[in-house]
DNA sequence: CGGCACGTTGAAGTGACTCAATTCGCGTGG
DNA sequence: CCACGCGAATTGAGTCACTTCAACGTGCCG
């Protein structure tokens, strides 16, 4: 499954890692050089495959090069709760670097390309370039901030507002990754899965989505989210992107097609 | 408010920090010495006071010496969602070391003693003793694991099971801190606040608590949780403490009064 | 004694759930 | 080309868990 050492693939991976970390952290050129010395193995996975399972003890952390991954919990009765949706560029199980046992699973939602960053190499990298360590740490802290919002979203918001918030977050994150056109981004989930993210039944997701569509806020169709009116959508969700700790004025946010606040 | 430099208070604080980190991480004696060189300021706060607010940019992280703190979100409409309850020994806003802006608030639930660990000193400590940095990082990762469980708890479990899970987590964490007698621990929350933790109305909390009491699982009264039958309680919650990433066989777990699994 | 915070209870309302049927889009095979 | 199957979206109907509202009990403290 894992491809043999391939220099160009490794370079692509480290370049993606650098740009992901630069989204929220400053790196010196020495830091970047240190990162580029990692030689990760890369691999392709089809849709719907578990990369890591609850109870596993992984020896590498995953960098997502393309596609979409998601983390989830499974209860004994088989019910599933999705925890986080990871767009390309993300580091979906960095925590396994310091937590031996996986307390959740990680699956591919779309076909994906991934790079395996061996824990040993990561530790060496962090010792050699502490600022890179801080950037990685910050990355895990932003993850935690996103989890906190998910708690509040589920605890306090009724279905339509809850869905709206979920969509706002997704759109903003994909935009931040520089992967979205204006007013639209991929959302490779069916209504069942969206429900498992935000704690709603499939029927409720459907009706909430219809309300958002009828009110010309947003539209979900064919694995794509279309934002019809960002102002209305984000207002409905009471969405404040502060918790994502992104630099919303950074070039990549502007490049991605203009005013996040408007339209 | 902050007391002047006091050597013995600082020593107490660093000792608590060491024992907290040792709960999940190994520290060399050199690491411990490096930690003990921190000279934090300490302070007492009454019940119900915000230590840090959403939007603040703190310059130190807080170590809780005694009492209880909680983190929470506030929505524009004034609704409150509690996110995490921190027993003595915990580091409730370590993330501010790398995330400039607070995306949530931190308040005292009980009168508390706290130590302020200046970010600058923490960064120096981490550079000097990387293993301490790893331990602190691990601490924030366990926090994230707890947040993930909270999402699943709210998304998947009905009221009684949800409350049961909340109680199991609280009991296990306080036990791990070595602060609980057998079968009982402090829970300085009223039913309103419990509801704001687990996303239930005060009435539902009341009725869920009654069911747990009637079924001889657990009892909540006067700021105290009494576990009547751990097996039944944890089974009802489908509670698996793995996500807390504690060493359940460590001496402090045994010292705290015996078999966590039983009675 | 009065006030207050907290817990408890009953009753009525409702948002979300389950169940079940129908429709839609799309790829596949006859 | 059309029939078919299948997964996903949609819809309606009935139910239920949790909510809100409102009242009342209880213990504590000034």
């Amino acid at each position: 499954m894992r491809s043999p050492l391939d220099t160009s693939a490794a370079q692509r991976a480290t370049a993606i890692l650098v740009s992901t970390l630069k989204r929220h952290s400053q790196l010196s050129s020495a830091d970047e050089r240190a990162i580029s010395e990692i030689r990760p193995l890369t691999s392709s996975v089809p849709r719907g495959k578990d990369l890591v399972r609850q109870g596993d003890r992984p020896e590498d952390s995953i960098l997502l090069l393309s596609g979409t991954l998601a983390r989830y919990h499974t209860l004994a009765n088989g019910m599933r709760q999705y925890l986080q949706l990871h767009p390309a560029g993300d580091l979906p199980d960095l925590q396994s670097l310091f937590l031996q046992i996986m307390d959740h699973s990680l699956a591919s939602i779309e076909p994906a390309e991934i790079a395996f960053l061996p824990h040993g190499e990561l530790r060496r990298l962090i010792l050699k370039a502490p600022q890179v360590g801080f950037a990685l740490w910050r990355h895990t802290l932003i993850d935690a901030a996103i989890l906190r919002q998910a708690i509040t979203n589920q605890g306090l918001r009724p279905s339509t507002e809850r869905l709206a918030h979920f969509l706002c977050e997704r759109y903003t994150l994909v935009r931040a990754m520089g992967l979205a056109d204006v007013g639209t981004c991929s959302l490779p989930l069916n209504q069942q899965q969206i429900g498992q993210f935000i704690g709603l039944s499939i029927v409720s997701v459907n009706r909430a989505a219809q309300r958002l569509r009828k009110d010309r806020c947003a539209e979900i169709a064919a694995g794509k989210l279309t934002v019809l009116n960002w102002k209305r959508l984000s207002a409905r969700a009471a969405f404040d992107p502060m918790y994502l700790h992104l630099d919303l004025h950074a070039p990549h946010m502007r490049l991605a097609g203009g005013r996040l606040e408007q339209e």
Side-chain angles (χ1 to χ4, degrees), chain A residues 131-261:
Chain A
Q131 292 301 323
V132 175
F134 291 171
L136 290 169
W137 192 345
R138 181 173 291 116
H139 198 90
T140 64
L141 292 172
I142 294 173
D143 270 3
I146 292 173
L147 296 173
R148 280 192 289 271
Q149 275 295 327
I151 293 172
T152 301
N153 202 26
Q154 287 203 349
L156 254 32
R157 280 191 259 265
S159 62
T160 311
E161 286 71 20
R162 203 188 298 183
L163 176 61
H165 193 278
F166 178 73
L167 299 179
C168 285
E169 180 180 295
R170 168 71 184 173
Y171 180 62
T172 305
L173 279 177
V174 177
R175 279 285 298 277
M177 290 296 188
L179 297 172
D181 297 333
V182 194
T184 179
C185 76
S186 94
L187 182 67
L189 301 172
N190 60 31
Q191 295 184 345
Q192 166 94 63
Q193 291 170 311
I194 294 176
Q196 289 169 331
F197 262 101
I198 60 180
L200 291 176
S201 72
I202 183 172
V203 176
S204 295
V205 170
N206 185 287
R207 289 182 175 142
Q210 284 179 50
R211 279 189 287 269
L212 291 181
R213 189 185 318 153
K214 189 183 317 175
D215 299 347
R216 314 251 72 212
C217 292
E219 213 162 31
I220 307 172
K224 259 182 65 168
L225 160 66
T226 307
V227 176
L228 301 172
N229 185 318
W230 172 255
K231 215 163 211 164
R232 202 146 28 169
L233 180 66
S234 57
R236 185 147 194 180
F239 178 72
D240 177 355
M242 182 261 279
Y243 72 95
L244 297 172
H245 297 273
L246 299 164
D247 184 358
L248 295 176
H249 301 296
H252 51 85
M253 289 305 282
R254 280 202 293 275
L255 280 174
R259 313 125 307 159
L260 187 65
E261 320 298 331

Side-chain angles (χ1 to χ4, degrees), chain A residues 60-99:
Chain A
D60 5 55
S61 287
I62 286 173
L63 169 67
L64 180 59
L65 303 175
S66 72
T68 307
L69 303 184
R71 304 201 253 178
Y72 65 92
H73 275 156
T74 317
L75 253 48
N77 60 17
M79 304 212 74
R80 174 174 295 204
Q81 172 74 49
Y82 282 108
L83 301 163
Q84 214 171 346
L85 190 62
H86 298 278
D90 214 344
L91 291 150
D93 77 333
L94 201 46
Q95 92 282 332
S96 70
L97 184 56
F98 292 112
L99 296 182

